[in-house]
Amino acid sequence: MTGRPLYVGIDLGTTNSAVAVFDGESTQVVRNAQGSPLTPSVVRIDAKGRVTVGSAARRFLDRDPENTRSEFKRLMGTERPLPFRASGRELTPPELAAEILKALRGDVRDQLGSLPTAAVISVPALFELPQSAATAEAARLAGFDKVELLPEPIASALAAGWTAEHGDGRWLVYDLGGGTFDVSLLETDGGFLRVVGHDGDNFLGGRDVDWAIVDWATAMIEREHGVKIRRDNPEHAAATAQLKHAAEEAKVALSRANEAVLTMPAPLEIAGHGAFDPELVLGRATLEELLAPLVDRSLEVCRRLLADHHTDPGQLARIVFVGGPTVTPLLRARVAQVLGAPVADGLDPMTLVAQGAAIHAATSALDGRGAGPLVRRGARLWLQFPAVCTDLSPHVVGRVVEGGSGPMPERIHLVRDDGGFTSEVTTLDAEHAFVVAVELVSRHANTFTIVAQDAAGAVLAVDPPTVTIVQGMTIGDPPLSRSIGVALASDQVQVYFERGTPLPARRSFTHVTVESVARASADSVLKIPIVQGEHDRAHLCRLVGTLEIPGHAIARTLPAGSDIELTIELDRGGRMSARALVPALDQVFEHVAHLLVPAADTEVLAASLATLRKRVDDLRADAFRRGMAQVLGTLEHAEHELAEVARDLGAALGGNDDAGQRARRNLLEIDAALDEVEQSKQWPELEQRAVRTLTWAGGQIAYLGTDRERALFEDIARAIDGARQERNVRDLQRQLRLANQLGETAWYRDPDTWPALFDAASSRIDAATDLPKAQALVREGRAANGRNDYAELRRITEKLWKLLPHDPSAQRQSYDSGVR
Amino acid sequence: MNAVERWAGNPFFVLELAVTASRAEVERAGQKWLAMLELGLARAAIYTTPLGVRARTPELVRTAMAELRDPERRAGHEPWCLLQEPASVIDPPESTASEGEPGFDAMGPLQWSRR
């Protein structure tokens, strides 16, 4: 492996994709064979099975839609294959994405002479686990050995931060993609970059502008030709697609000209009206009118984010624009004017994400050149150091793992290749390890020679002989976008990772089975559903995978009340793996099933839409009765979003799968928002619970707690007050749980507690899942109680709890979870 | 994790830093501990708290770094780092009796009648 490193970053976009490389000091956007930095995310397969990608395929999008596919990124994570009629082939969304990635990989080879084996691929901030898994699968199919996924806002922030010469301060990344809007508030402090907060609107994107132009065009056509083109009419799908394509081109043309003609490649064909060629001229003023409500919606999200983080728009050091639609001068001017902050110059909104991903590849030491030929010389060192870091004085930590043929090194020091720095000489410890502090030159790739010496001071050869550390802006570990946990049979969630947890992460908990699994039974299966979301109730979160323990795979029947030690692990890209150890069977289960986004059936979507509309009406009537003005605002917003869903549903009925998936996702979001409205109705009840909890836990801690617990309780009580003042339902619920846990810790010290808990559990054993075992435990417990053996009584009571029944209706709701 | 265990996981203890540590020192210490853990060095495997010795893991170090990067969350950890009382005996139960409202629900109908 020679020359400069090859760090590859890929923006796998809905409409266009881009690839950039970073060599340790600067980024370079790789151009494709057509000389463009952007490759349309379009795949075509002709009758002979030949695959074409990019702009060559895009030309066929209107002419040959049955053999040309685009916007499949929105279908990532679904199992639905997309047919190519002429060749008879069917490709899944990851297979289609792999074709794009292969093309980009080839472009890197053509331009830089090396076919990359590793890359960082950006994904939307709110991608669900199945979608991330599908993206990683696409990378594998494209021939990448190693891949990391990075949220798009973090990638663009990193690229903008890397090139920034500005001082400390807060800034905004305004990212308007084809179908979504993301905004991130960032802070630079002493060279360190931090994501302060993130917000967005899944219903807002450049495509909304395109559709607004299409609606304007169809209105003009109806007025001038008397032809009504409907987006939800499958017979008008080809005409609609032509208009949409023309709208996209006109929008781009208007960033340079004052007016643009909507040019169709062929006359529009409408059943009953024949073919006709409308003449449509779109002016800048009309586009501005169409654009204004959409930009205002995005500004509303920006203001909300700034308010959440106590930042005045005037305090912003700059705004960074990301995404194709932000190229529109009208949009940039309006955003800058309303927020009153300067726009960062010199950044390409179309390739910023790919550049950030490439920089992140360096941070993760993902050198795309792969492993070179193995040439070993001298003692082998296992080294750990940051490939890229902000700190000017990082550590190089190492360990001699193989002495080679000569003597073992005794002392080590590092010399910077420019001669400007030599580290202290460090003596290797008993583990043959060393920790050396080095000093970096700012914004450079710093190479250090490792000088190893034996006891006599003779210099020894070591492998590797050098280390290189790039100094520049970095960002912390990527944060998890949504909390992940296990759905319990009670419909509650055992949270494994809270939102914001730095990745990678791993956690283990012990669960208890609520039903038995019969050995060799085909029907008997224990399900451990893994969910993602911020809700207390499992059924409100999204099912992202199920770990199953089937009857046919177990060594013997597993009784209810058995322990399951579950470990969930997330890598830096948010990909999940789970492992369940069943001590009673001495078996491990690792297969996570159904890691897929559910299909978007249009009938189901239509029914859900009708249900949610009725729910909005009911909640509005109730809110009027109670005079809850804040709730009315939320409901108005939900109603607006439901109208958007109805539009997507119309497009889905016209055969657009992508619109169907968007509708499904957004219905879930609206459902969750309405749940929050309902929760807020229960605020008085929650307040009562807060009073009860504070009184109960406070009493236990005052009576039985330690000084430390009393101090902790005061802290939690303050947090409860804060959540009550802000009327923050989720935070209040979380703080109340903490207060209860603390109260319980004290309460369990009371010698009277366990006899009482034992009595309570004994009174319910008629319903136990294993009655003979429960009866035996009750006998043991009585004996333990009789001799005042509270430790034993506690052990028995805990066993009894595991045998007590669960609520079947809650279990059904909770994705049939078999654990608690 | 109960509240006391959360205290034992105070980021300043995990990273072996004083509350006055700068942002750069936080990154430097985190990077060093992660590197040492990756190499399996024994001296990185544990850290000391007023509650006794605890195991240091890469997850704990990453979480500690993330906590101290955020000024608001960092401020919440600083007072706890300064408290140096002797360890109290904490013995949390293996599992709670109820998943609903612990403490209240655990005893079912008995709840308040006992106290």
Side-chain angles (χ1 to χ4, degrees), chain B residues 15 17 25-35 61 65:
Chain B
L15 299 179
L17 286 172
E25 285 170 328
V26 169
E27 297 298 326
R28 195 175 302 151
Q31 177 251 322
K32 183 185 77 176
W33 291 123
L34 286 172
V61 174
M65 291 168 79

Side-chain angles (χ1 to χ4, degrees), chain A residues 29-188:
Chain A
V29 178
V30 177
R31 292 180 178 270
N32 59 25
Q34 290 73 41
S36 169
L38 299 177
T39 297
S41 304
V42 184
V43 176
R44 170 179 155 77
I45 303 179
D46 66 16
K48 291 183 178 169
R50 284 178 300 219
V51 179
T52 338
V53 169
S55 53
R58 194 180 191 277
R59 284 199 292 273
F60 291 89
L61 209 48
D62 300 326
R63 284 192 261 159
D64 188 17
E66 293 204 325
N67 296 300
T68 314
R69 297 288 172 183
S70 66
E71 301 199 344
F72 37 81
K73 179 176 169 181
R74 291 187 178 282
L75 300 175
M76 293 292 267
T78 65
E79 61 186 343
R80 184 170 176 164
L82 297 168
F84 290 81
R85 304 247 182 260
S87 62
R89 286 185 66 186
E90 285 192 336
L91 264 65
T92 61
E95 286 170 335
L96 287 164
E99 293 300 330
I100 305 294
L101 293 173
K102 276 184 212 167
L104 298 175
R105 201 170 165 234
D107 292 339
V108 175
R109 180 199 51 212
D110 294 347
Q111 193 164 324
L112 300 164
S114 179
L115 192 64
T117 56
V120 168
I121 300 176
S122 63
V123 291
L126 295 178
F127 241 24
E128 296 166 22
L129 284 178
Q131 295 165 295
S132 295
T135 307
E137 171 66 5
R140 194 189 62 76
L141 292 172
F144 287 106
D145 297 333
K146 283 188 198 165
V147 68
E148 262 191 29
L149 308 182
L150 181 71
E152 284 162 7
I154 293 183
S156 45
L158 197 51
W162 186 267
T163 51
E165 297 295 338
H166 306 264
D168 294 345
R170 290 194 167 191
W171 37 293
L172 210 61
V173 176
Y174 180 103
D175 182 352
L176 189 63
T180 55
F181 172 63
D182 285 298
V183 58
S184 304
L185 180 63
L186 300 142
E187 187 178 71
T188 320

Side-chain angles (χ1 to χ4, degrees), chain A residues 234-497:
Chain A
E235 289 182 358
H236 297 175
T240 306
Q242 272 183 273
L243 282 172
K244 167 100 176 335
H245 190 186
E248 286 167 24
E249 289 184 343
K251 182 182 70 179
V252 173
L254 281 173
S255 58
R256 294 181 300 273
N258 283 327
E259 58 179 37
V261 179
L262 269 71
T263 317
M264 258 68 71
L268 298 178
E269 298 230 14
I270 301 294
H273 294 277
F276 66 104
D277 206 351
E279 203 177 294
L280 299 162
V281 180
L282 179 67
R284 260 200 184 192
T286 309
L287 179 64
E288 191 165 5
E289 274 176 36
L290 298 172
L291 202 60
L294 304 172
V295 177
D296 287 349
R297 269 175 63 195
S298 74
L299 287 167
E300 201 181 305
V301 179
C302 295
R303 287 196 200 94
R304 189 170 67 207
L305 174 68
L306 293 172
D308 283 350
H309 296 280
H310 316 294
T311 306
D312 190 74
Q315 290 174 274
L316 289 175
R318 61 200 162 121
I319 304 170
V320 174
F321 286 106
V322 180
T326 66
V327 177
T328 311
L330 292 170
L331 181 147
R332 296 169 84 95
R334 191 172 172 87
V335 172
Q337 182 204 349
V338 172
L339 292 179
V343 174
D345 294 322
L347 301 171
D348 178 9
M350 308 297 282
T351 60
L352 203 61
V353 170
Q355 293 180 60
I359 294 167
H360 189 73
T363 310
S364 303
L366 280 181
D367 191 338
R369 294 173 300 173
L374 196 64
V375 180
R376 290 251 159 81
R377 200 171 145 256
R380 195 150 67 86
L381 304 179
W382 183 9
L383 296 173
Q384 290 290 314
F385 58 91
V388 183
C389 78
T390 309
D391 185 12
L392 287 162
S393 313
H395 292 99
V396 174
V397 182
R399 186 173 191 176
V400 181
V401 287
E402 200 181 296
S405 53
M408 283 285 278
E410 289 267 323
R411 294 188 295 274
I412 272 186
H413 69 278
L414 275 72
V415 180
R416 202 169 66 209
D417 278 8
D418 66 359
F421 168 79
T422 301
S423 78
E424 285 184 3
V425 177
T426 302
T427 304
L428 270 58
D429 65 14
E431 294 179 285
H432 304 295
F434 60 89
V435 178
V436 178
V438 294
E439 284 183 13
L440 306 181
V441 177
S442 178
R443 290 183 176 261
H444 272 81
N446 296 261
T447 300
F448 296 88
T449 299
I450 303 170
V451 182
Q453 293 169 295
D454 65 12
V459 174
L460 305 172
V462 287
D463 179 39
T466 61
V467 294
T468 300
I469 303 175
V470 178
Q471 198 283 332
M473 185 166 283
T474 57
I475 199 153
D477 296 310
L480 181 64
S481 60
R482 290 195 183 100
S483 301
I484 289 177
V486 164
L488 304 177
S490 59
D491 194 32
Q492 292 192 306
V493 180
Q494 168 69 64
V495 176
Y496 273 60
F497 309 106

